[in-house]
């Protein structure tokens, strides 16, 4: 499947004057890190939702996940209403379309209801994705998701023939990053493209770290080839052939990802170590965003900073709420938080 070429737009700082002012006000509504840490000590999920009501989160009859996604969707809709470069907000929403396409296709193949698995804050309404999966026709999304729409059709056909859900994930994940790259280029903002490149590299590094748990080198390469995403600056062939955490750390360091390299060098290949690596990668990405946006109050940079902070706010709330529901140790939940 060929990736559509999109010419980069011209970025003009003055176009974001109104958006920067609006986002400054919206940023004041984000939950501060200290308040987020305090939520870890809440009695239960209901207590968490009660405490965050002042930040605009409404309890939902369908549960806390529905409350979080409804809030996130509303924030993005507001961003899209005044942001002059809609691709800037769109590219972050595309991963929810990615999730929804994968879930709808797998559920159709398995004869299950996809509705409970939908994250209702993508660009495409979740019910439209379910309907498209039922008809096995995703062409209606081609203008908005030019890579994911044909990938979804391929994935739907593939799972019908093989029953292998991994093919669905690999096809649509790759297409999602391709659509995000196109949206990043459309913004004309060099730092957005650099941040997406960094996220791509860290995704591939984490994939390479996970496949190291497979003892057979041929199997490791096959699984990696099935999952790797193009668009990063680390040589994919070198990632594919890396045979230790140390080798991955060298590749990360060579690409300029020093914090990621430290995390990889000190990690084992067990699940707990890989969770720590993923945590370190998130912190590294947050630091990279901070280096781009901190003290830059004009142009698109406040919008970029807000979008990333919003995403991690929701991620932290999910960590807290799911951890409390599972009865996890509160100190362990606090360790998992992604805080700037």
């Amino acid at each position: 499947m060929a990736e559509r070429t999109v010419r980069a737009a011209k970025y003009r700082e003055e176009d974001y004057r109104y958006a920067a002012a609006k986002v400054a006000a919206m940023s004041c509504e984000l939950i501060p890190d200290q308040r987020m840490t305090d939520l870890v000590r809440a009695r239960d999920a209901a207590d968490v939702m009660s405490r965050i009501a002042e930040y605009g989160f409404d309890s939902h009859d369908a549960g806390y996940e529905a409350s979080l996604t409804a809030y996130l969707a509303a924030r993005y809709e507001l961003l899209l209403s005044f942001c002059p470069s809609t691709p800037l907000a769109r590219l972050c929403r595309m991963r929810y379309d990615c999730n929804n396409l994968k879930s709808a296709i797998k559920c159709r193949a398995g004869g299950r209801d996809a509705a409970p698995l939908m994250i209702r804050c993508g660009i495409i309404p979740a019910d439209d994705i379910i309907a498209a999966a039922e008809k096995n026709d995703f062409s209606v999304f081609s203008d908005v998701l030019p890579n994911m729409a044909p990938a979804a059709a391929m994935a739907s056909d593939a799972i019908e023939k093989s029953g292998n859900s991994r093919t669905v994930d690999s096809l649509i994940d790759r297409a999602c990053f391709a659509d995000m790259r196109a949206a990043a280029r459309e913004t004309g903002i060099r730092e957005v493209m650099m941040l997406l490149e960094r996220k791509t590299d860290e995704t591939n590094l984490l994939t390479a770290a996970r496949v190291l748990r497979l003892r057979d080198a041929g199997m490791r390469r096959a699984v990696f080839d099935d999952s790797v995403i193009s668009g990063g600056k680390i040589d994919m062939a070198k990632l594919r052939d890396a045979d230790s955490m140390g080798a991955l750390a060298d590749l990360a360091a060579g690409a300029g990802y020093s914090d990621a390299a430290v995390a990889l060098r000190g990690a084992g290949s067990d699940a707990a170590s890989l969770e720590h690596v993923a945590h370190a990668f998130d912190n590294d990405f947050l630091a990279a965003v901070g280096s781009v946006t901190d003290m830059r109050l004009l142009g698109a940079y406040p919008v970029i900073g807000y979008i990333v902070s919003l995403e991690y706010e929701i991620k932290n709330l999910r960590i807290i709420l799911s951890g409390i529901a599972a009865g996890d140790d509160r100190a362990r939940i606090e360790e998992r938080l992604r805080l700037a």
Side-chain angles (χ1 to χ4, degrees), residues 49-125:
M49 296 307 300
S50 175
R51 294 189 192 192
I52 64 176
E54 65 181 287
Y55 295 97
F57 291 86
D58 296 325
S59 295
H60 196 288
D61 291 341
Y64 68 77
E65 180 58 36
S67 298
L68 298 185
T69 54
Y71 176 85
L72 186 60
R75 296 293 90 185
Y76 272 124
E77 288 302 323
L78 183 55
L79 274 172
L80 287 169
S81 72
F82 60 73
C83 186
S85 179
T86 54
L88 185 57
R90 269 206 339 262
L91 74 89
C92 294
R93 298 179 75 184
M94 285 175 177
R95 67 192 189 95
Y96 301 108
D97 295 305
C98 177
N99 170 87
N100 292 345
L101 284 166
K102 291 189 292 186
S103 296
I105 290 168
K106 292 176 188 177
C107 286
R108 176 182 179 273
R112 303 186 306 277
D113 180 15
L117 301 178
M118 295 291 103
I119 302 177
R120 298 178 183 274
C121 56
I123 302 170
I124 307 297

Side-chain angles (χ1 to χ4, degrees), residues 102 165-175 226-228:
K102 291 189 292 186
S165 62
R166 188 196 298 170
T167 302
V168 175
D169 292 337
S170 62
L171 284 169
I172 300 180
D173 284 342
R174 286 171 172 164
D226 196 41
S227 306
V228 70

Side-chain angles (χ1 to χ4, degrees), residues 5 9-10 28 38 79 103-104 122 132 140 161 178 182 188 190 199 217 255 257 264 282 312 320:
T5 300
K10 183 177 180 180
C28 295
D38 291 343
L79 274 172
S103 296
V140 68
K161 293 175 181 176
R190 180 177 59 87
K199 178 61 73 174
Y257 309 139
L264 286 163
D282 277 344
Y312 277 95
I320 292 168

